[in-house]
Amino acid sequence: MDEIIQENLARKITIVKDIANDLQQITTEDLVNNIMDVENSDHDVEMNKKDEHMHDHHNQIDPELNVFFVPKDLKVGKIMPIYFSKKDLSKVPKFLPKEEAEKIPFKPEKLPSLLDFFSISKKSPQAKAMKYTLEQCNFEPMEGETKFCATSLESLFDFANNMFGSNSKFKVLTTTHVTKSTVPLQNYKISQVNEISAPNAIGCHPMPYPFAVFYCHSQKGDTNLYEIDVEGENGEIVHAAAICHMDTSKWDADHVAFRVLNVLPGNSPVCHFFPPDNLVWVPLAAKP
């Protein structure tokens, strides 16, 4: 790795290396992969292998898969099991400043030198997670998709401005626990449903890496966005962001969502809740 990078990032990388030690624990949850699988249905070779393994060895649904539903479920009073992941935000990797993040190579072919730079063993789970992120971020976008991996907060805003227009205003939807969360999976009752009208939106998913990386993309097609308030059987309240993909005709027939919902490709929309650390950027309508 270039000596200039070593000199300019010395203090930052000391912190990043500490975070990298927890990389596998905090950013490679199955839930992240399941949501990524939904959002990238043409890039799911690895997930299909994982799903086949799960299907062969588990008769019950993985608890983390209780994020999928169909549009008819969106009724006030509806009760259903939902998994909202819990994560210690104090251990989540932080963004580097843009000028420093851009000096660090972000290509799969640079993985060996990156592992050396971050002092990560080449055969470790952390190395596998980094390889996954680099590959996902460097896949060609699907037809009708615009994608970008943000390695800094500045680049995240730049991508949103490029998508919506430099003078556009936008808001960020996310899933938040209104009350303190004690259990990740329980039965929730829907108390309010608000459909968000937006011509396009950007979904951003955190990826496993020593510093913060968000996989952001916007897909043309029939999708509906929602803000949903739910109350758990223990009294917990969650304000959740969710999306429904209305056209699933081109999805892989082995997609895990179809098994969870017991539906077929093209016969039913597939909806899912966003985990609390995912972001959905929505443009605000211009005032007349």
Side-chain angles (χ1 to χ4, degrees):
M1 187 69 68
D2 194 282
E3 292 182 359
I4 296 178
I5 297 178
Q6 294 279 10
E7 180 180 353
N8 289 345
L9 299 182
R11 287 184 297 173
K12 290 287 183 182
I13 296 307
T14 299
I15 299 174
V16 170
K17 283 181 177 180
D18 291 339
I19 295 173
N21 293 332
D22 295 322
L23 181 63
Q24 175 69 8
Q25 176 184 350
I26 64 178
T27 56
T28 56
E29 300 178 47
D30 287 345
L31 179 59
V32 174
N33 289 333
N34 290 325
I35 297 301
M36 283 292 296
D37 190 28
V38 172
E39 301 297 324
N40 300 280
S41 54
D42 282 0
H43 298 323
D44 54 4
V45 175
E46 291 299 320
M47 277 300 301
N48 283 340
K49 292 178 181 178
K50 173 181 174 247
D51 293 342
E52 290 171 5
H53 177 81
M54 180 189 71
H55 186 66
D56 290 341
H57 296 279
H58 297 274
N59 294 322
Q60 295 182 344
I61 294 176
D62 185 327
E64 294 180 348
L65 295 177
N66 283 282
V67 294
F68 297 108
F69 60 94
V70 292
K72 67 180 181 181
D73 292 327
L74 289 178
K75 297 179 180 179
V76 173
K78 172 74 175 183
I79 298 175
M80 57 182 171
I82 307 174
Y83 183 95
F84 291 117
S85 61
K86 298 172 63 178
K87 185 174 291 186
D88 185 351
L89 296 180
S90 67
K91 294 184 178 181
V92 172
K94 304 299 187 292
F95 276 124
L96 292 179
K98 182 179 180 180
E99 63 273 14
E100 296 180 357
E102 288 182 343
K103 294 175 182 176
I104 302 177
F106 197 71
K107 296 289 185 181
E109 59 268 23
K110 297 294 184 180
L111 180 61
S113 60
L114 287 167
L115 294 176
D116 289 340
F117 185 51
F118 291 116
S119 300
I120 294 175
S121 171
K122 295 180 180 179
K123 296 184 179 181
S124 67
Q126 290 88 344
K128 183 178 180 181
M130 286 181 65
K131 180 176 183 289
Y132 171 79
T133 292
L134 292 170
E135 289 177 345
Q136 289 292 323
C137 286
N138 284 277
F139 272 134
E140 289 296 319
M142 296 184 295
E143 182 179 353
E145 179 190 39
T146 302
K147 57 172 283 190
F148 174 72
C149 277
T151 57
S152 68
L153 187 59
E154 296 94 328
S155 64
L156 187 57
F157 276 95
D158 289 343
F159 181 68
N161 282 322
N162 289 336
M163 288 295 301
F164 301 141
S166 58
N167 296 322
S168 298
K169 294 184 178 180
F170 44 82
K171 67 176 181 178
V172 179
L173 308 180
T174 188
T175 295
T176 57
H177 292 273
V178 179
T179 57
K180 185 177 180 180
S181 173
T182 57
V183 293
L185 175 64
Q186 63 173 309
N187 286 324
Y188 286 88
K189 178 187 288 187
I190 296 178
S191 58
Q192 184 174 339
V193 178
N194 179 30
E195 184 170 357
I196 305 298
S197 178
N200 59 340
I202 302 171
C204 292
H205 317 282
M207 301 294 286
Y209 214 68
F211 55 87
V213 173
F214 275 79
Y215 180 105
C216 299
H217 64 122
S218 180
Q219 177 71 44
K220 293 181 180 180
D222 295 330
T223 57
N224 296 335
L225 282 171
Y226 300 91
E227 289 181 300
I228 305 169
D229 290 337
V230 296
E231 182 175 351
E233 55 191 356
N234 68 349
E236 291 181 14
I237 298 175
V238 178
H239 182 70
I243 189 170
C244 287
H245 301 268
M246 307 308 290
D247 183 6
T248 59
S249 59
K250 295 181 180 180
W251 289 22
D252 191 314
D254 290 330
H255 200 293
V256 63
F258 296 133
R259 290 204 295 273
V260 172
L261 299 172
N262 195 27
V263 296
L264 297 174
N267 285 2
S268 172
V270 168
C271 310
H272 68 81
F273 291 98
F274 285 98
D277 55 0
N278 282 222
L279 307 174
V280 185
W281 301 68
V282 181
L284 296 175
K287 294 183 179 180

